Amino acid sequence: MAIEADVVVIGGGSTGAGVARDAAMRGYSVVLVDRADLAQGTSGRFHGLLHSGGRYVVSDPESARECAVENEIVSRINANAVELTGGLFVCAPGDDEGFADQFLAGATATGVPAGEIGVAQALRREPRLNPGITRAIEVSDASVDGWALVWGTARSAAEYGAKVLTYHQVTEVLIADGQVRGVVCLNLASGEKVTIEAGFVINAGGPWAGQIAGLAGCHDVDVVPGRGVMVGMNHRLVNTVINRCVYPTDGDILVPVHTICVIGTTDTAVDDPDNLAIPRAEIDALLDAGEALVPGFRQTRVLHAWAGARPLIRDSRTAAGDTRHMSRTMAIIDHQARDGVSGLLTIAGGKLTTYRLMAENVVDAMEAQLGTPHPCRTADEPVPEASSGHHVVTHRLAEREAERSDDARSQIVCECELVTRRMLESVMTANPGGQFDDWRRQLRIGMGPCQGGFCGLRMAGIAVADGVMDAPRAKDLLKLFLQHRWAGLWPTLSGAQARQAAIDAAICGNYNAFPSSGGVAHNAGVFLSSGGVAHSTGAARSAGVVVVGAGLAGLVTSTALARDGFDVTCVTFGVGGLPLSPGVIDVYGSIPDVHGPLEAVAQASDGHPYAAIGADAVKRGLDLLLELAGPELLTGRPDINVCMTSAVGAPRPTCLYPPSMANGLAGPDEAVFVGFTRLKDFYPQLISTPAAMIDVTPRPGEADSSPMVFARFFDTDAGRRALVEALRPVIGEESVGLPAVLGLDDVTAWRKVQDALGRPVFEVPMTPPSVPGWRLNNALVRAAQAAGVRFRRGVKAVSVQQDGGRATGVVVASAGHPSTLAADAVVLATGGLQSGGIVMDDHQQMSEPVMGLPLGRRPEQPFMADLFAPQPAYLAGVGVDAGMRPLDDDGRVVCGNVHAVGGLLAGSIRWAEMTSGGIDVGSAVAAADAIKGELS
């Protein structure tokens, strides 16, 4: 393929996009190429600050002058990408107040608008600022979305005729007789070789500019990549850009960007801009720096970290590796004068704030070589998208409220960033060959607290449903997307975000979204329950047991003890973990060469929970669970795995499952899968083709109904009739796979639909909230209450009182008022990292928060860079003996009448091994047996 143009611009960051726009506006035919997506490099990996120039008034006056002028211009021509937050430079406690005088003098000298305000005024404006600040200076800093700026600039260039080619890597710069003749690119999407014939090449490759110049034989272009690490905090702690009034250093800028704030940045010279580490030590340093500006900063939820590479020109005034003090001004290298190559310019240095000025200067330099001067108009003409006005943090909420309708395209695909299906489909249509990260950069999808854990699957489903790609490619891109998100997560994880990461991992594991090689073959059989388990009907005992946690382990422990006459109180802050589960019970599903899950339990190695629990307790726990749930909620055999199809089309092994899923055990080839247009968490096209979508309306006028709304609708005769009428035109003679929302209170609703339809029907597990999980939760709560368990809901266990090495009570907090529940025995069923039973502090140190129990398998490095590797943090937990009593590091019982069950136990990554159900019910029975023996 060959293309002709006047100018080739290499590099799709802010400078390259600005150059393409400027040259196109001057009448040149332009092709902009980048080996990746636009703004995937430095322009998309910075702190979001549109500089007033204040940062450089002392350290780099020339940069300050440039920023002061360009701040006003960029705020106008790229208004849609800019939020006019304003800025403050403050002296934190211990800072040299005299530097503020130097700052004000420098601002006057460089033309940077600045004025001192009173400390009280600054604190009224930003109440979370350190109350110990001693001086405050107001400047014109702003917040800028680099992706929106670059894409708006590139679209404006395209309107003037420029071609924008992403994922085109330059492999050659063509030169003949000392004159540039064009470039050769490799289309990384298709593998096609593309030749662009042009008489001029402008190298705007940023930190890669030296490598690009080398392709033209112009070596030793001394661009020094300066790595900067930034950390995004989940909350907008300030609404004004806050700078520390000191000579530029690490962690001295806090920028409100959309709904979060970003602290930055570090500055370290690196050799390779493609390999930017995010050291934990630098994250800790940034968090500490944030404390000086906003007290309590370290306790705020850390969302994500990233690193960018500044394209700094080597400065003879500074040491070779001292990127902090290299000039931020731009530099243009004329390769005709330097290397004897006409038609090639390299531009580097500068700031995103000065991108337009850099483009103007380098296009002026090109025209000086060509002898064809034209006026630059980029400072006068805004990009078309700027007509919407300046960005305001509440814009998206206002837009979503205005767009609410019963059109399925108004569904909110990403709740964190308020991205609708319409927005996603628009970007997919405009960029059908893009990757999920490309769409993320334009929409911010997947950038909220779940980091793509929920909306990533929706993005994949919509891409397949709309015919943008097939299911295998969508799943591959989903894996890549989540891995990229993980790259900025794992070095930062602590607190609530560590818990979120564990929940996301559990969701993927529960739905076997990314199964390991091998897998378990489908088994078409449906196995019946092996019967109940006997329990004592002896006289009631007065002994009191407090169970902390109401997940599967806590509910089964509570019920087993109450049925045997014990006085049981179950303490729970919220709902347990069952609504996050698919409603099936796994014992061991990750070992395909084991004939039955109970065999795998019996072979468990030392250190695994099953080694302490034992196969007998697991079997008795499963039998008890079958009895408590009843045959309408659970069927199967504890000793044999079967496979169902998950919502992502993967075989999903388990041993106990709802009867409503039984007809799907034959596998996806024997069924037609049907989704609902108003249900955004189930896309049958991910499972198999052909697939169908039908429109069922559980609530008139609502396009974005939740699984629970659908389930309650199908509890009714009218809802089931509407479903059957919508299904008839789209099904044939196959069985019918539907999302698992067929009734909540009426657990036989699926069978009623099947009878009315005259075809076998089955449910397919979905992402949370899980209706089958809720059904099972509700049934087990009712069974516990029937057995006499008392529930204390909305209270949190904060400690366990002890006397003489034994627990005497559990201290709980409710609405700030602590009270003590007396106890003869205590069961901790608080879960693992995803449930809050184990917590991770801001230094990535793990602990058990109620009793401070010793943790086994506690790793020095909790997380690994590969998302799909077993994460050491998820193995950590409490080590126990056969009675589920916690052990210390020397194997001694910590407290004789305290027992730990379920996800709190060390030694298993439950969702990866598919062992959750077996560990929960087996440890529950083992703990109940031990308590009966102790207190009888």
Side-chain angles (χ1 to χ4, degrees):
M1 177 179 175
I3 301 173
E4 292 184 2
D6 296 325
V7 186
V8 174
V9 181
I10 304 175
S14 59
T15 304
V19 171
R21 179 178 188 242
D22 193 326
M25 289 175 70
R26 299 195 201 196
Y28 297 96
S29 59
V30 180
V31 178
L32 172 65
V33 297
D34 195 290
R35 64 172 185 170
D37 188 28
L38 294 184
Q40 188 167 324
T42 307
S43 298
R45 295 177 172 274
F46 74 122
H47 39 51
L49 173 61
L50 186 70
H51 285 274
S52 63
R55 181 169 172 78
Y56 302 116
V57 295
V58 175
S59 64
D60 193 348
E62 183 58 30
S63 288
R65 291 185 185 92
E66 293 171 353
C67 288
V69 173
E70 291 301 305
N71 173 287
E72 185 277 327
I73 295 173
V74 173
S75 294
R76 177 167 39 80
I77 68 170
N78 296 106
N80 62 295
V82 176
E83 181 181 359
L84 299 178
T85 61
L88 292 173
F89 277 77
V90 300
C91 293
D95 289 347
D96 177 12
E97 293 183 41
F99 187 84
D101 296 323
Q102 296 180 53
F103 180 96
L104 288 168
T108 300
T110 57
V112 173
E116 187 159 13
I117 64 174
V119 167
Q121 182 181 349
L123 293 175
R124 283 195 299 272
R125 178 172 172 177
E126 291 296 344
R128 295 200 64 170
L129 262 180
N130 191 327
I133 63 171
T134 56
R135 297 184 73 172
I137 299 169
E138 192 172 32
V139 295
S140 300
D141 285 339
S143 170
V144 59
D145 184 326
W147 297 316
L149 181 146
V150 172
W151 272 100
T153 302
R155 290 188 184 108
S156 176
E159 289 192 354
Y160 278 95
K163 294 182 186 299
V164 178
L165 302 179
T166 56
Y167 293 100
H168 279 67
Q169 182 170 6
V170 175
T171 57
E172 296 179 64
V173 176
L174 302 175
I175 300 172
D177 300 325
Q179 170 66 48
V180 165
R181 301 299 182 186
V183 300
V184 177
C185 301
L186 176 65
N187 183 331
L188 298 178
S190 67
E192 181 183 15
K193 180 179 177 180
V194 179
T195 300
I196 306 173
E197 298 175 1
F200 220 99
V201 170
I202 295 179
N203 174 11
W208 296 272
Q211 300 172 23
I212 294 167
L215 294 175
C218 302
H219 302 290
D220 300 323
V221 172
D222 218 353
V223 178
V224 182
R227 173 176 58 77
V229 171
M230 290 135 282
V231 177
M233 312 301 288
N234 189 52
H235 300 91
R236 194 162 160 133
L237 301 172
V238 293
N239 290 303
T240 305
V241 175
I242 304 298
N243 305 262
R244 199 162 172 178
C245 194
V246 295
Y247 202 83
T249 187
D250 292 353
D252 58 350
I253 310 173
L254 184 60
V255 186
V257 181
H258 292 274
T259 57
I260 70 170
C261 64
V262 178
I263 189 161
T265 171
T266 61
D267 202 333
T268 307
V270 295
D271 295 325
D272 182 3
D274 285 318
N275 185 19
L276 301 178
I278 307 176
R280 177 69 199 183
E282 293 188 19
I283 292 170
D284 278 333
L286 289 173
L287 297 179
D288 287 339
E291 283 286 338
L293 296 173
V294 176
F297 191 86
R298 287 199 74 108
Q299 279 63 58
T300 304
R301 183 170 179 171
V302 179
L303 186 63
H304 200 88
W306 59 94
R310 305 173 185 86
L312 303 176
I313 297 297
R314 179 82 68 191
D315 188 338
S316 61
R317 297 170 298 173
T318 60
D322 184 9
T323 52
R324 170 64 69 194
H325 298 107
M326 289 183 183
S327 174
R328 266 51 175 173
T329 55
M330 70 190 77
I332 297 173
I333 299 174
D334 182 344
H335 292 284
Q336 183 181 52
R338 179 184 183 273
D339 303 292
V341 177
S342 299
L344 178 63
L345 295 171
T346 292
I347 183 163
K351 309 289 298 176
L352 181 137
T353 303
T354 61
Y355 90 93
R356 189 216 61 84
L357 178 62
M358 295 171 69
E360 177 181 347
N361 289 349
V362 77
V363 177
D364 283 348
M366 178 187 78
E367 292 201 319
Q369 275 197 30
L370 296 175
T372 55
H374 298 83
C376 174
R377 298 185 289 119
T378 56
D380 304 316
E381 182 176 323
V383 305
E385 287 152 310
S387 61
S388 63
H390 287 102
H391 169 73
V392 177
V393 69
T394 54
H395 269 173
R396 278 201 173 171
L397 180 59
E399 290 165 359
R400 298 297 80 77
E401 289 293 326
E403 291 173 357
R404 291 178 68 178
S405 71
D406 63 355
D407 180 357
R409 298 186 70 210
S410 68
Q411 290 174 341
I412 304 295
V413 177
C414 173
E415 290 87 354
C416 302
E417 294 291 338
L418 295 178
V419 178
T420 65
R421 179 166 184 163
R422 179 179 288 105
M423 294 164 66
L424 178 59
E425 289 179 334
S426 177
V427 171
M428 286 179 174
T429 300
N431 187 16
Q435 299 184 10
F436 290 7
D437 277 298
D438 302 341
W439 303 335
R440 171 183 64 84
R441 278 182 280 274
Q442 294 190 59
L443 298 173
R444 299 186 63 82
I445 190 168
M447 294 184 66
C450 89
Q451 290 288 289
F454 286 83
C455 56
L457 183 60
R458 295 170 187 163
M459 189 158 40
I462 291 169
V464 177
D466 286 4
V468 175
M469 61 187 66
D470 60 21
R473 175 167 170 75
K475 293 173 193 177
D476 286 343
L477 288 180
L478 175 59
K479 289 179 68 173
L480 183 65
F481 173 72
L482 294 175
Q483 178 65 59
H484 287 167
R485 293 283 78 207
W486 180 253
L489 269 176
W490 71 272
T492 72
L493 287 176
S494 64
Q497 197 60 35
R499 184 175 178 181
Q500 178 73 59
I503 290 172
D504 291 344
I507 290 170
C508 287
N510 274 329
Y511 296 95
N512 212 18
F514 309 115
S516 59
S517 59
V520 183
H522 273 86
N523 188 320
V526 177
F527 301 103
L528 301 177
S529 167
S530 56
V533 62
H535 61 90
S536 170
T537 56
R541 298 177 175 86
S542 60
V545 181
V546 176
V547 178
V548 183
L552 179 57
L555 290 172
V556 172
T557 307
S558 298
T559 307
L561 289 168
R563 284 169 49 135
D564 211 38
F566 288 87
D567 181 9
V568 180
T569 301
C570 183
V571 174
T572 175
F573 185 67
V575 178
L578 277 169
L580 294 176
S581 77
V584 302
I585 302 299
D586 304 323
V587 174
Y588 226 134
S590 64
I591 304 181
D593 56 350
V594 172
H595 296 297
L598 289 178
E599 293 180 28
V601 171
Q603 299 168 14
S605 59
D606 289 343
H608 194 283
Y610 280 149
I613 297 169
D616 177 67
V618 173
K619 174 64 166 59
R620 290 188 293 118
L622 294 169
D623 286 343
L624 174 59
L625 179 62
L626 283 165
E627 180 187 349
L628 297 177
E632 290 294 350
L633 279 179
L634 283 179
T635 188
R637 279 178 50 179
D639 57 335
I640 297 178
N641 272 337
V642 295
C643 267
M644 60 186 59
T645 298
S646 76
V648 295
R652 204 305 185 177
T654 192
C655 68
L656 302 183
Y657 47 89
S660 62
M661 299 180 186
N663 288 328
L665 297 181
D669 295 338
E670 307 298 325
V672 58
F673 292 85
V674 181
F676 307 147
T677 57
R678 297 169 192 268
L679 181 64
K680 65 189 175 190
D681 284 315
F682 184 78
Y683 300 92
Q685 296 88 350
L686 283 173
I687 302 174
S688 70
T689 53
M693 299 293 290
I694 59 175
D695 191 11
V696 179
T697 309
R699 283 182 181 169
E702 185 174 78
D704 202 355
S705 298
S706 73
M708 298 296 283
V709 169
F710 271 96
R712 292 190 175 100
F713 183 54
F714 295 140
D715 276 337
T716 68
D717 290 337
R720 292 189 293 270
R721 280 196 302 271
L723 173 59
V724 171
E725 290 170 6
L727 281 171
R728 289 195 190 282
V730 301
I731 65 170
E733 297 301 313
E734 310 97 333
S735 57
V736 183
L738 296 167
V741 294
L742 301 185
L744 178 64
D745 296 325
D746 185 353
V747 297
T748 66
W750 70 275
R751 189 175 290 116
K752 294 172 182 176
V753 171
Q754 176 175 270
D755 291 344
L757 196 61
R759 301 300 310 145
V761 167
F762 63 93
E763 293 186 304
V764 180
M766 296 169 51
T767 52
S770 162
V771 172
W774 270 110
R775 293 177 198 145
L776 185 56
N777 178 83
N778 295 345
L780 294 181
V781 168
R782 289 193 296 268
Q785 291 171 328
V789 176
R790 291 189 302 275
F791 283 87
R792 288 286 303 273
R793 296 185 173 89
V795 300
K796 187 172 231 178
V798 295
S799 65
V800 172
Q801 288 185 341
Q802 298 182 58
D803 184 16
R806 291 184 65 81
T808 60
V810 176
V811 180
V812 298
S814 176
H817 300 287
S819 59
T820 301
L821 303 176
D824 297 301
V826 174
V827 179
L828 296 179
T830 48
L833 189 61
Q834 76 275 17
S835 302
I838 296 172
V839 296
M840 180 178 287
D841 68 15
D842 54 340
H843 293 284
Q844 291 196 325
Q845 298 300 305
M846 305 178 74
S847 61
E848 188 281 313
V850 178
M851 290 186 67
L853 294 173
L855 294 184
R857 304 292 293 271
R858 182 169 50 194
E860 290 186 12
Q861 181 173 313
F863 300 102
M864 301 170 63
D866 181 2
L867 170 61
F868 305 106
Q871 300 299 328
Y874 303 149
L875 286 166
V878 175
V880 293
D881 67 4
M884 302 297 106
R885 288 174 283 262
L887 304 175
D888 64 18
D889 293 339
D890 296 320
R892 295 173 299 208
V893 172
V894 174
C895 188
N897 63 337
V898 171
H899 306 260
V901 297
L904 186 56
L905 304 186
S908 174
I909 303 180
R910 293 148 49 97
W911 51 85
E913 297 176 345
M914 296 187 174
T915 54
S916 297
I919 291 174
D920 284 345
V921 300
S923 60
V925 166
D929 287 348
I931 291 170
K932 293 171 191 176
E934 294 164 5
L935 301 184
S936 296

